[in-house]
Amino acid sequence: MYQKLYPTSECPPKLYGLPKIHKINAPLRPIVSSCGSVTYNASKYLAGVLGPLVGDTPHHVINSEDLVNKLHDVKLEPDDKLVSYDVCALFTSVPVDQALEVIKTKFAKEKHVSDISAHQIIQLLDLCLSSTYFVYKGEFYKQKHGCAMGSPVSPIVANLYMEAFEEKALSSTPSPTPFWYRYVDDTLTSKKEQEIEAFTAHLNSIDTNIQFTCEVEKDGQIPFLDTLLHHSEDGGIETSVYRKPTHTDQYLNFQSNHPLQHKRSVVHTLFHRAKVLSSSSSRERTERKHVKSALRNNGYPNWVFAAPKPKKPRPRSSDDIVTGFPYVRGLSEKLSRTFGKHGVKVYHKPTNSLRSRLTHVKDPTEKNKVCGAIYHIQCSDCNEDYIGETERPLHKRLREHQTRTQSAVYEHIEGNNHTLNLESTSVLDTELHPFRRKVKEALHIKARRPSLNRDSGIELPSVYDLILN
């Protein structure tokens, strides 16, 4: 529990924006990255505790496939219209104090499963949701209202609050709805055309914090998530795949430096979507034809469309050995086959992308505040050096090297009247996971052979000798 909750980093949450290219003038969607903040570990823990409470309602939609299945048997009246509602800025609209009361009520009704008490969870949740500070271009700001943007637990709290809201709204409406299906802040329903305006006003009167915008079907169609809904003449709802007008049909290029499994997965995923979101075989054929044309334009050969479907993976077992490697074309495939003979499953991950090379949307972390660092100290007055690792901010560890008499770095700078400064220290790598960080430290020690290290760090398998020497 201590490891789950204890903050090892003091990095402030960082605000950045991503353009909404499907909207006029491409406004920015504000996003706060809370990775490395003091409440991040606690928020992740709370997300695991509260997550199972979400969805205990007939109005909850898991994904587009779930929506299509729910709409399969829906029959509309001749004067019904499909309507979608969108909550304006949901996360920043949810009042924290009222959300906490909703979760308290949930705990009172359902069995509580956690290592800490329900009262302690509420206290911890209040702290995480109320920690709404962030930094942008070196300046600190505070979010004045709503759940903390970027916190892992905020989406779950918003969902639980919306479940309580919709229960109150639907039970008090003067004109009952045939169905009400919600995915986070997007909701689909149907209303008589003459009732839409009054029903919208009713929704917006329930809670001044939660306000909706409304969209009514046009020409018998309305998009919802990535599904286009068709109001058929017999009252049924047919479905097909929906793409926004700004969609470019650009997918992972077949010539890109990615494993073949990733490219096959693109084909399988798009074909699977065509199958589950198309309400008729003719719509599925049309979608598959479009997918093939788009993928051919991305360099995909015809043979990949006829390749067998990937086997459904069996459930993971605690005995399974799984490891990941950076992808290197030609080498990774051989390693995967070799490891497979010994019962080890290998997955590949690309290490570079155009986005990582060309864009840096977040404020950079100052070197002295980097946490989870594997660092290299170079004496400012000679060639002596040292490699170490720390989970805390780098400046705190460097201060210890300058003041703790048992440190090899301290002995060197004091015994020789030399100096140590931040400029002569470099961050070789970062890793928040304790064991992986110690392995990386040992690898750098073995490769660089720093003169001041008294040991080689964690003991590595002898195979690394062949790789690093």
Side-chain angles (χ1 to χ4, degrees):
M1 178 58 65
Y2 175 83
Q3 292 293 340
K4 291 179 181 178
L5 301 181
Y6 182 74
T8 59
S9 172
E10 60 184 31
C11 295
K14 299 173 182 178
L15 175 75
Y16 64 100
L18 294 179
K20 302 179 182 180
I21 60 173
H22 60 286
K23 294 191 175 182
I24 298 174
N25 298 325
L28 290 180
R29 174 184 285 109
I31 299 174
V32 175
S33 172
S34 64
C35 296
S37 67
V38 292
T39 61
Y40 185 70
N41 288 348
S43 294
K44 281 180 63 179
Y45 171 77
L46 291 173
V49 172
L50 300 179
L53 300 179
V54 174
D56 187 21
T57 166
H59 310 299
H60 179 72
V61 171
I62 301 172
N63 51 35
S64 298
E65 183 177 356
D66 183 40
L67 173 71
V68 170
N69 291 334
K70 282 178 162 63
L71 295 175
H72 185 266
D73 296 322
V74 170
K75 287 293 182 182
L76 303 177
E77 297 295 329
D79 56 345
D80 283 343
K81 294 287 185 180
L82 291 171
V83 186
S84 69
Y85 287 98
D86 182 21
V87 181
C88 301
L90 175 59
F91 288 2
T92 55
S93 298
V94 173
V96 172
D97 53 346
Q98 295 179 42
L100 293 175
E101 290 301 320
V102 167
I103 294 172
K104 285 180 185 178
T105 304
K106 272 278 187 182
F107 279 146
K109 292 179 179 178
E110 302 188 23
K111 185 179 180 181
H112 168 63
V113 179
S114 176
D115 298 325
I116 58 180
S117 68
H119 176 67
Q120 290 171 321
I121 287 178
I122 296 298
Q123 286 184 309
L124 190 59
L125 185 60
D126 189 13
L127 171 66
C128 292
L129 295 179
S130 302
S131 299
T132 58
Y133 70 98
F134 58 86
V135 67
Y136 178 68
K137 291 187 176 181
E139 296 288 335
F140 279 87
Y141 299 86
K142 181 177 176 62
Q143 178 188 322
K144 292 184 176 180
H145 191 265
C147 298
M149 293 188 296
S151 172
V153 76
S154 289
I156 295 170
V157 171
N159 251 318
L160 291 171
Y161 188 77
M162 285 303 299
E163 288 180 8
F165 170 90
E166 64 196 8
E167 182 180 351
K168 181 178 180 181
L170 296 178
S171 63
S172 60
T173 178
S175 56
T177 58
F179 60 88
W180 173 276
Y181 295 137
R182 181 182 54 81
Y183 181 83
V184 190
D185 59 350
D186 292 318
T187 302
L188 179 72
T189 187
S190 70
K191 298 297 294 182
K192 308 293 183 186
E193 188 168 9
Q194 65 273 18
E195 296 175 347
I196 294 175
E197 184 177 347
F199 182 69
T200 304
H202 169 72
L203 291 176
N204 289 332
S205 69
I206 298 296
D207 187 334
T208 56
N209 300 290
I210 304 299
Q211 298 295 293
F212 291 85
T213 59
C214 172
E215 180 182 356
V216 183
E217 68 172 73
K218 185 177 180 180
D219 298 327
Q221 297 181 343
I222 188 171
F224 189 78
L225 305 181
D226 61 346
T227 307
L228 185 61
L229 309 177
H230 308 262
H231 187 170
S232 59
E233 293 182 356
D234 64 356
I237 301 176
E238 298 185 10
T239 58
S240 61
V241 174
Y242 173 71
R243 295 177 181 81
K244 293 178 179 178
T246 52
H247 184 75
T248 61
D249 273 339
Q250 284 187 315
Y251 299 102
L252 179 67
N253 194 281
F254 198 78
Q255 301 304 320
S256 62
N257 188 48
H258 287 72
L260 180 60
Q261 303 98 294
H262 291 191
K263 298 162 189 175
R264 282 179 167 170
S265 179
V266 170
V267 178
H268 173 68
T269 299
L270 293 176
F271 279 179
H272 177 73
R273 185 173 70 159
K275 179 179 180 180
V276 299
L277 298 189
S278 300
S279 56
S280 66
S281 56
S282 61
R283 293 188 187 278
E284 181 182 353
R285 285 194 299 270
T286 300
E287 176 62 18
R288 287 176 67 95
K289 183 179 179 181
H290 177 91
V291 167
K292 287 182 179 181
S293 175
L295 291 181
R296 287 191 184 102
N297 291 334
N298 285 271
Y300 285 70
N302 287 328
W303 63 262
V304 78
F305 303 132
K309 295 180 181 179
K311 295 180 180 178
K312 188 175 182 180
R314 65 177 178 81
R316 287 275 298 275
S317 166
S318 58
D319 297 328
D320 288 345
I321 303 175
V322 182
T323 188
F325 289 109
Y327 179 70
V328 180
R329 184 176 293 182
L331 174 62
S332 294
E333 290 82 0
K334 294 178 182 178
L335 286 174
S336 182
R337 289 192 293 268
T338 301
F339 276 87
K341 293 177 182 178
H342 299 278
V344 178
K345 295 181 179 180
V346 174
Y347 64 89
H348 305 296
K349 47 188 178 182
T351 54
N352 295 316
S353 67
L354 288 175
R355 178 177 178 176
S356 65
R357 294 294 180 180
L358 299 177
T359 64
H360 302 281
V361 295
K362 304 176 189 176
D363 283 10
T365 302
E366 296 176 30
K367 183 167 68 172
N368 67 323
K369 295 182 179 179
V370 171
C371 298
I374 296 92
Y375 58 90
H376 178 235
I377 297 176
Q378 180 68 57
C379 178
S380 302
D381 301 294
C382 68
N383 293 325
E384 301 293 297
D385 61 343
Y386 176 88
I387 288 177
E389 60 84 18
T390 179
E391 69 176 359
R392 294 168 296 155
L394 181 58
H395 69 90
K396 292 185 177 181
R397 184 64 180 130
L398 292 182
R399 191 182 306 123
E400 291 175 349
H401 281 303
Q402 294 172 311
T403 57
R404 289 190 175 180
T405 56
Q406 65 269 35
S407 166
V409 175
Y410 175 87
E411 291 181 1
H412 173 75
I413 60 178
E414 288 295 315
N416 298 281
N417 198 27
H418 286 182
T419 57
L420 165 68
N421 57 57
L422 183 64
E423 286 69 32
S424 63
T425 302
S426 58
V427 176
L428 302 176
D429 205 343
T430 56
E431 176 60 65
L432 295 178
H433 190 279
F435 178 74
R436 288 196 290 263
R437 187 172 60 248
K438 290 185 180 296
V439 169
K440 289 184 177 182
E441 177 200 31
L443 289 173
H444 282 289
I445 291 174
K446 187 175 284 289
R448 292 173 176 260
R449 302 182 184 279
S451 55
L452 293 178
N453 283 71
R454 293 169 176 163
D455 58 56
S456 300
I458 192 172
E459 185 176 355
L460 297 173
S462 57
V463 67
Y464 283 105
D465 295 332
L466 300 174
I467 299 173
L468 298 176
N469 293 334

